[in-house]
Amino acid sequence: RGPDSRAASVPGQMPWADLTIEEAEIACGNSSKRICFYSEWVDACQGDGEWIAREGDIGAPLHESCNAPAYIYEHGQHCDIVPTGSLPKCEAGTPGLFDMQGNVSEFVYDDALYSAERREPGVQGANCAVPDSCADVSGQPSHPGVDTKYFAIGFRCCADL
């Protein structure tokens, strides 16, 4: 990883985590993309609602599909990050998007706190230690600060169409 690194979501590869939002911005920019806004993240995660069916019955535990806390504890593992897409039932409401409800949380920009003068980073989604689901989005991401680095926080890039 360096200043010329490009962001790419590749199935079977470890997600890029433990970096600052500035490093994530550079990687997205090198791929002609940007960090997603919270509203984009939620729309992609919820999609058309089909993610409920992929999880099983409505209300099925998230840990049965995704690298979320109860899955970890039931399978006798520690909170370890797994390769992207390695849990095929952990698909978001937008087909082809994986791991939005587990594995690593993701940096986003809070739509309400974004302007030319201010860019407030947020974090959204579950990780292997913190449960969350596309159905449980609270209306705003958590705000960890610009210098935050954590082994279970990564990023997802969005493109302007």
Side-chain angles (χ1 to χ4, degrees):
R1 298 192 299 188
D4 296 328
S5 297
R6 295 178 49 161
S9 182
V10 179
Q13 298 295 311
M14 295 302 286
W16 194 349
D18 198 25
L19 72 167
T20 66
I21 193 162
E22 181 179 10
E23 293 168 318
E25 285 177 327
I26 291 168
C28 287
N30 288 343
S31 297
S32 300
K33 296 179 182 176
R34 58 174 170 72
I35 298 292
C36 301
F37 285 102
Y38 172 76
S39 60
E40 294 170 317
W41 192 97
V42 170
D43 287 347
C45 192
Q46 292 181 343
D48 60 9
E50 288 299 313
W51 62 272
I52 293 171
R54 285 191 283 278
E55 283 190 23
D57 296 331
I58 293 175
L62 177 64
H63 66 273
E64 291 179 2
S65 305
C66 299
N67 187 13
Y71 176 91
I72 299 303
Y73 301 126
E74 287 180 9
H75 291 82
Q77 301 172 359
H78 299 285
C79 180
D80 291 327
I81 308 304
V82 299
T84 301
S86 61
L87 296 170
K89 290 184 179 179
C90 194
E91 188 171 21
T94 302
L97 295 182
F98 292 88
D99 303 325
M100 295 185 83
Q101 302 175 86
N103 215 19
V104 298
S105 298
E106 298 173 356
F107 282 119
V108 294
Y109 276 119
D110 189 333
D111 306 59
L113 301 174
Y114 188 91
S115 69
E117 298 81 36
R118 180 179 183 194
R119 296 184 308 179
E120 183 75 30
V123 173
Q124 186 60 44
N127 62 49
C128 63
V130 178
D132 199 359
S133 137
C134 290
D136 297 332
V137 291
S138 65
Q140 66 179 20
S142 63
H143 296 95
V146 296
D147 295 326
T148 297
K149 286 175 93 167
Y150 184 61
F151 83 100
I153 298 177
F155 65 102
R156 186 175 303 261
C157 301
C158 285
D160 292 316
L161 303 177

